[in-house]
Amino acid sequence: MVDPNHGTISLAFIQTLGSSFVPDLISDFQKEFPNIQFQLSQNISSKILKEIHAANIDIGFCSPLEPQDDLCSIPVLTEELFLIVPVAHRLAGTERVNLSEVADEPFIFFKPQTALHDLIENLCNEAGFHPRKVFEGYEERTVSDLVGANLGVAIVPYIPNLDESKISMVRVQSPKCFRVIQMVWRLNGYMSPAVINFKEFVEKRAIGMAKE
């Protein structure tokens, strides 16, 4: 536990980071620290924050909307959010749209327990309307499948390998649609040397990306 070159890090992250961000990050880290292992889990932001508070995980990558008591965080990634519509929708294939153009559409939303729920609701309000929610899901794939079934439109982070035979992904011009992913850890909790190494590795990487 006291050897900075060995140990196990308990890491949790939201669903969209599992396709490339977290695997690439761990791969690069283990080039420097090949003997440090990871215990990985995926969850929604609110549950990740609870697990960090409870000291069940060391570090989380998620998108808290408000500062958290007894937790520290730094931004590590900005994810663009896209409008997705059924392939037969009038806006399918459009390069850019204003969010207000779907003000009267039924919306597939994320569950209220997710950080994306409040963020997307705020974006719709900023665009001048209250979204008409017809279905709710926890995961991006579930939401996109409901859109593909022609049940409404949605706002989601980028989804790799999206089924373009059913769904069209469109950039939103106004308002700016994005979410900030944070690395979160306990303020006063014990942090092993291995965890400290990983946290510092991610911090340096985030600083380098910010300079770019």
PDB file of all heavy atoms in Angstrom, residues 142-155:
ATOM      1  N   THR A 142     -30.010   3.572 -24.368  1.00  0.00           N
ATOM      2  CA  THR A 142     -31.461   3.427 -24.207  1.00  0.00           C
ATOM      3  C   THR A 142     -32.178   4.624 -24.800  1.00  0.00           C
ATOM      4  O   THR A 142     -33.178   4.483 -25.529  1.00  0.00           O
ATOM      5  CB  THR A 142     -31.821   3.295 -22.717  1.00  0.00           C
ATOM      6  OG1 THR A 142     -31.141   2.166 -22.171  1.00  0.00           O
ATOM      7  CG2 THR A 142     -33.324   3.124 -22.538  1.00  0.00           C
ATOM      8  N   VAL A 143     -31.681   5.810 -24.493  1.00  0.00           N
ATOM      9  CA  VAL A 143     -32.291   7.033 -25.017  1.00  0.00           C
ATOM     10  C   VAL A 143     -32.233   7.049 -26.545  1.00  0.00           C
ATOM     11  O   VAL A 143     -33.222   7.358 -27.219  1.00  0.00           O
ATOM     12  CB  VAL A 143     -31.590   8.273 -24.423  1.00  0.00           C
ATOM     13  CG1 VAL A 143     -32.034   9.544 -25.137  1.00  0.00           C
ATOM     14  CG2 VAL A 143     -31.870   8.387 -22.932  1.00  0.00           C
ATOM     15  N   SER A 144     -31.082   6.685 -27.111  1.00  0.00           N
ATOM     16  CA  SER A 144     -30.952   6.710 -28.575  1.00  0.00           C
ATOM     17  C   SER A 144     -31.843   5.655 -29.226  1.00  0.00           C
ATOM     18  O   SER A 144     -32.392   5.877 -30.310  1.00  0.00           O
ATOM     19  CB  SER A 144     -29.488   6.507 -28.989  1.00  0.00           C
ATOM     20  OG  SER A 144     -29.030   5.222 -28.651  1.00  0.00           O
ATOM     21  N   ASP A 145     -32.022   4.502 -28.573  1.00  0.00           N
ATOM     22  CA  ASP A 145     -32.903   3.466 -29.126  1.00  0.00           C
ATOM     23  C   ASP A 145     -34.355   3.950 -29.168  1.00  0.00           C
ATOM     24  O   ASP A 145     -35.099   3.657 -30.120  1.00  0.00           O
ATOM     25  CB  ASP A 145     -32.812   2.194 -28.286  1.00  0.00           C
ATOM     26  CG  ASP A 145     -31.501   1.439 -28.502  1.00  0.00           C
ATOM     27  OD1 ASP A 145     -30.798   1.746 -29.489  1.00  0.00           O
ATOM     28  OD2 ASP A 145     -31.182   0.559 -27.679  1.00  0.00           O
ATOM     29  N   LEU A 146     -34.760   4.694 -28.145  1.00  0.00           N
ATOM     30  CA  LEU A 146     -36.124   5.237 -28.124  1.00  0.00           C
ATOM     31  C   LEU A 146     -36.307   6.284 -29.217  1.00  0.00           C
ATOM     32  O   LEU A 146     -37.366   6.357 -29.853  1.00  0.00           O
ATOM     33  CB  LEU A 146     -36.426   5.829 -26.745  1.00  0.00           C
ATOM     34  CG  LEU A 146     -36.564   4.810 -25.599  1.00  0.00           C
ATOM     35  CD1 LEU A 146     -36.582   5.520 -24.256  1.00  0.00           C
ATOM     36  CD2 LEU A 146     -37.822   3.978 -25.766  1.00  0.00           C
ATOM     37  N   VAL A 147     -35.261   7.093 -29.459  1.00  0.00           N
ATOM     38  CA  VAL A 147     -35.324   8.047 -30.572  1.00  0.00           C
ATOM     39  C   VAL A 147     -35.403   7.295 -31.894  1.00  0.00           C
ATOM     40  O   VAL A 147     -36.192   7.639 -32.783  1.00  0.00           O
ATOM     41  CB  VAL A 147     -34.097   8.990 -30.554  1.00  0.00           C
ATOM     42  CG1 VAL A 147     -34.061   9.852 -31.816  1.00  0.00           C
ATOM     43  CG2 VAL A 147     -34.122   9.878 -29.314  1.00  0.00           C
ATOM     44  N   GLY A 148     -34.607   6.229 -32.027  1.00  0.00           N
ATOM     45  CA  GLY A 148     -34.612   5.433 -33.250  1.00  0.00           C
ATOM     46  C   GLY A 148     -35.943   4.767 -33.520  1.00  0.00           C
ATOM     47  O   GLY A 148     -36.281   4.470 -34.675  1.00  0.00           O
ATOM     48  N   ALA A 149     -36.728   4.559 -32.456  1.00  0.00           N
ATOM     49  CA  ALA A 149     -38.067   3.989 -32.608  1.00  0.00           C
ATOM     50  C   ALA A 149     -39.105   5.060 -32.933  1.00  0.00           C
ATOM     51  O   ALA A 149     -40.312   4.784 -32.903  1.00  0.00           O
ATOM     52  CB  ALA A 149     -38.461   3.244 -31.333  1.00  0.00           C
ATOM     53  N   ASN A 150     -38.632   6.266 -33.221  1.00  0.00           N
ATOM     54  CA  ASN A 150     -39.501   7.377 -33.649  1.00  0.00           C
ATOM     55  C   ASN A 150     -40.429   7.853 -32.529  1.00  0.00           C
ATOM     56  O   ASN A 150     -41.557   8.281 -32.776  1.00  0.00           O
ATOM     57  CB  ASN A 150     -40.322   6.974 -34.876  1.00  0.00           C
ATOM     58  CG  ASN A 150     -40.748   8.171 -35.706  1.00  0.00           C
ATOM     59  OD1 ASN A 150     -40.020   9.170 -35.799  1.00  0.00           O
ATOM     60  ND2 ASN A 150     -41.923   8.095 -36.305  1.00  0.00           N
ATOM     61  N   LEU A 151     -39.918   7.811 -31.284  1.00  0.00           N
ATOM     62  CA  LEU A 151     -40.738   8.227 -30.141  1.00  0.00           C
ATOM     63  C   LEU A 151     -40.433   9.644 -29.663  1.00  0.00           C
ATOM     64  O   LEU A 151     -41.097  10.132 -28.756  1.00  0.00           O
ATOM     65  CB  LEU A 151     -40.532   7.230 -28.987  1.00  0.00           C
ATOM     66  CG  LEU A 151     -40.942   5.789 -29.280  1.00  0.00           C
ATOM     67  CD1 LEU A 151     -40.583   4.876 -28.114  1.00  0.00           C
ATOM     68  CD2 LEU A 151     -42.433   5.703 -29.583  1.00  0.00           C
ATOM     69  N   GLY A 152     -39.447  10.283 -30.260  1.00  0.00           N
ATOM     70  CA  GLY A 152     -39.118  11.644 -29.871  1.00  0.00           C
ATOM     71  C   GLY A 152     -37.703  12.003 -30.278  1.00  0.00           C
ATOM     72  O   GLY A 152     -37.047  11.257 -31.022  1.00  0.00           O
ATOM     73  N   VAL A 153     -37.235  13.156 -29.791  1.00  0.00           N
ATOM     74  CA  VAL A 153     -35.862  13.604 -30.024  1.00  0.00           C
ATOM     75  C   VAL A 153     -35.150  13.633 -28.678  1.00  0.00           C
ATOM     76  O   VAL A 153     -35.771  13.518 -27.623  1.00  0.00           O
ATOM     77  CB  VAL A 153     -35.833  14.999 -30.688  1.00  0.00           C
ATOM     78  CG1 VAL A 153     -36.613  14.987 -32.001  1.00  0.00           C
ATOM     79  CG2 VAL A 153     -36.383  16.078 -29.747  1.00  0.00           C
ATOM     80  N   ALA A 154     -33.824  13.800 -28.705  1.00  0.00           N
ATOM     81  CA  ALA A 154     -33.074  13.813 -27.453  1.00  0.00           C
ATOM     82  C   ALA A 154     -31.782  14.595 -27.620  1.00  0.00           C
ATOM     83  O   ALA A 154     -31.332  14.861 -28.745  1.00  0.00           O
ATOM     84  CB  ALA A 154     -32.759  12.389 -26.999  1.00  0.00           C
ATOM     85  N   ILE A 155     -31.186  14.949 -26.496  1.00  0.00           N
ATOM     86  CA  ILE A 155     -29.858  15.558 -26.470  1.00  0.00           C
ATOM     87  C   ILE A 155     -28.946  14.591 -25.731  1.00  0.00           C
ATOM     88  O   ILE A 155     -29.238  14.190 -24.598  1.00  0.00           O
ATOM     89  CB  ILE A 155     -29.879  16.931 -25.775  1.00  0.00           C
ATOM     90  CG1 ILE A 155     -30.807  17.893 -26.525  1.00  0.00           C
ATOM     91  CG2 ILE A 155     -28.468  17.517 -25.712  1.00  0.00           C
ATOM     92  CD1 ILE A 155     -31.039  19.199 -25.809  1.00  0.00           C
TER      93      ILE A 155
END
